Amino acid sequence: QVQLVESGGGLVQAGGSLRLSCLASGPNFGAYTMGWFRQAPGKDREFVASITYSGSAAYYSDSVKGRFTISRVNVRSTVYLQMNNLKPEDTAVYYCNADSRIWLVPAAGRWPGGDSWGQGTQVTVSS
């Protein structure tokens, strides 16, 4: 099972940008679908974005589409989430996820994520 460590969270004003990183340890990073989820206080964890094992396809929730971009560099075992035009409603703990079931389509509303989770990184957007 892959271990995941997120970084890059912080406090930013509305309209600002942050880039989250998730470093994976363990073999065969390129054999995992990767994704980002988030959980705001008092709410359930929700899907944000995902990217297939090869990086050929990416999926986004409607709430972040056009503002966030997910990418991966397999030789660095790292997945990124570039977040632009941040809004106060983006405030949450962001979690990295890895799923070895690469045959699943990791689309919003269809993909629950895999078994590997990071510890989370806090993103706070002030108005």
Side-chain angles (χ1 to χ4, degrees):
Q1 198 171 16
V2 64
Q3 280 75 51
L4 305 172
V5 178
E6 303 97 335
S7 61
L11 173 64
V12 64
Q13 288 187 333
S17 299
L18 283 174
R19 188 176 81 155
L20 305 184
S21 299
C22 173
L23 177 64
S25 60
N28 300 325
F29 175 74
Y32 289 87
T33 295
M34 299 300 297
W36 289 93
F37 292 74
R38 68 186 182 186
Q39 187 168 20
K43 295 188 176 181
D44 293 334
R45 189 174 297 185
E46 65 174 2
F47 170 85
V48 175
S50 64
I51 188 166
T52 56
Y53 69 98
S54 65
S56 62
Y59 302 85
Y60 299 92
S61 67
D62 287 343
S63 61
V64 308
K65 198 173 296 183
R67 300 187 297 121
F68 291 11
T69 302
I70 189 171
S71 62
R72 65 189 295 162
V73 180
N74 283 353
V75 294
R76 297 179 184 172
S77 297
T78 302
V79 62
Y80 302 97
L81 185 68
Q82 178 66 44
M83 305 185 295
N84 298 328
N85 190 23
L86 282 159
K87 303 176 180 180
E89 51 264 42
D90 295 318
T91 295
V93 177
Y94 284 70
Y95 297 92
C96 182
N97 180 267
D99 191 350
S100 60
R101 299 170 298 175
I102 59 174
W103 58 89
L104 298 178
V105 177
R110 298 174 57 181
W111 182 61
D115 292 335
S116 298
W117 294 90
Q119 83 289 350
T121 185
Q122 176 71 46
V123 171
T124 303
V125 184
S126 63
S127 57

